[in-house]
Amino acid sequence: QVLATMEQLEKVSSFQEFVQIFSQFGNEMVEFAHLTGDRQNDLKDEKKKARMAASRAVLEKCTMMLLTASKTCLRHPDCESARINKDGVFHRMRLALEQVIEIVTDSRPNGENEMAPISIYSGIKEFKNKVEGLRENLYFLSKENLSTMLEVILEHTEDFTDSAYTSHEHREHILELSKQAKMELEQLVSVWMQAQNQKTKDLMEDLEVAILKTCQCMNELKREVHSAATSLAADLLKYHMDHMVLKALKITGVEGNLEAVAEYTCKLSEQKEQLVEMCRLLRHVSGTEPLEITCIHAEDTFQVTGPQIISAAETLALHPSSKIAKENLEVFCEAWESQLSDMSLLLREINDVFEGRRGEKRVYLSLPRPGKHNANLKALKPVKLDTEEQAKIAKLGLELHLLTSDVDSETEKWEDQENEIVQHGQGMSSMAYSMYLFTRGEGLLKTTQDLFHQAEIFATEGTKLVSALHAFSDQVHDDDKPLLLLEAEKLISMCKQLQITAKASVQGKSATFTKVDACILKTRNVMTLLCQLLPLGCRLLKKNKAGNGCLKPAPPWKEDRVRTATNAHTPERRAETFGIKSLENHVTNMTFLESK
């Protein structure tokens, strides 16, 4: 439906016709957003989940772009740059829709290989696994196999050594470590071959030393490329965060200064090349497949949005008094600024993975997006805990950490890992873990305001878990059912208290710390209760399956199945529906007769 309506939109020649069709298109996009959100939640493959999230992010931003680009084209039908601008939006939306089709129909089962070549991070991980495997089995792979794996990794390091944006110091270190890695592998192969022929104690000790030295060298190489990529990203993001080029393009466009616009479009093209290169290098060190896909999505966004801003700026310079041309440029600039802002969060996520702060824990990225904070939070100054405060709260944080392990252990005992109770329990455990990291001055929660927001989201997830427990209890008849409901009522009460505490307004250093302490304490209490609820639910489920109780048909729980937040390493942070209401307002307020 969306593709068919898009074709109609592309061919319209009057504002009246465009408004009618776009109104239909907006409704279809809302429905499509719900459907793709459901499919995204259903997907078990994290890689496909991240690809779906990337496609949905493109469609969300492009829907607004399609509106303003089409209006501009209709207002200035003879303007070539306006046509190029509009065509670019339609093309990108089609690519995103094609990717959605591929994911939901699984029509390209081998397509994962086409996404991107292996990253340095994953290459080193696989190489080290093979090397360490020699301790158990000297014959499970050939020396040629190991040499080829190292060659592939070192070829990828050329992305860093050949880059104009890699510092001289990083380049030299990477080249030195690459050379050392070859030497360490040669020594390893030599001892390995000898050990295959004669398995003496001395040779096995030499092999162990060679394995350790090879792995250590690879770790140093990984650390060096990570440092090169992240330091470049931090510098570029800091340098471009003032958006001076975009501001200059808006000003010179309104002035109709074609010469100045041409000058600033060259600067934007240079900025685009820097940011694209940054994304490519970050992908190598991203650490997880979903984060790799997020880097690829970011690279594509900069690659496509840069030329679109240029065509929009050229259109405005040719028609400086056109309100719609000015609005169109604003929309594309906002998309660029939004992607830059997202890169800062992505960089933090990549660093957290590298430093082991996240490990296998899925920290929920439920922090407010830049510019999306609640109005009453604007006056509050973000505060970090000082060393003394961290020391005071350390014991409480440690208790919370131990409880997250207990909850994880209980959720793993459930046979059905897709069960709603399990999903919410895992989500709460992940959020509690991020709050524990905050008490150590680590993780994604950087300020007290971040912590309070996370506590609110945690409490909301708790209320959803209670809803799932009630739905589950409706299906069972057992002596333990009243106990389950009683514990569920306790949980809902605790979550409400936590929400009240998290939302309470405080001022001053002492009051803020007291609120932090209260939030952590109440989160700990919720997690303690969760450790009792999960085994009780699991036991009830097993008893009913075994025939010791009566299990009624399951109601359609899926209607309420919406995750609170998602993997950061991806654009999944978006809400479950696109921002369509603003589009409807645009359509309603569309000005047909625009003064020249």
Side-chain angles (χ1 to χ4, degrees), residues 127 199 241 263 274 443:
F127 177 79
K199 218 172 183 180
M241 207 49 86
E263 180 188 337
Q274 291 172 353

Side-chain angles (χ1 to χ4, degrees), residues 139-156:
Y139 308 96
F140 80 104
L141 82 162
S142 67
K143 62 180 181 181
E144 289 79 16
N145 189 313
L146 215 48
S147 297
T148 302
M149 288 177 74
L150 181 61
E151 281 174 21
V152 170
I153 293 167
L154 298 184
E155 277 177 20
H156 287 316

Side-chain angles (χ1 to χ4, degrees), residues 221-256:
L221 179 61
K222 183 172 79 169
R223 191 176 295 111
E224 193 61 38
V225 293
H226 177 270
S227 175
T230 54
S231 58
L232 169 67
D235 289 345
L236 283 177
L237 291 174
K238 185 178 179 182
Y239 183 71
H240 294 309
M241 207 49 86
D242 60 4
H243 309 302
M244 288 306 295
V245 176
L246 299 183
K247 290 172 185 173
L249 277 172
K250 292 174 191 175
I251 293 167
T252 53
V254 169
E255 291 171 350

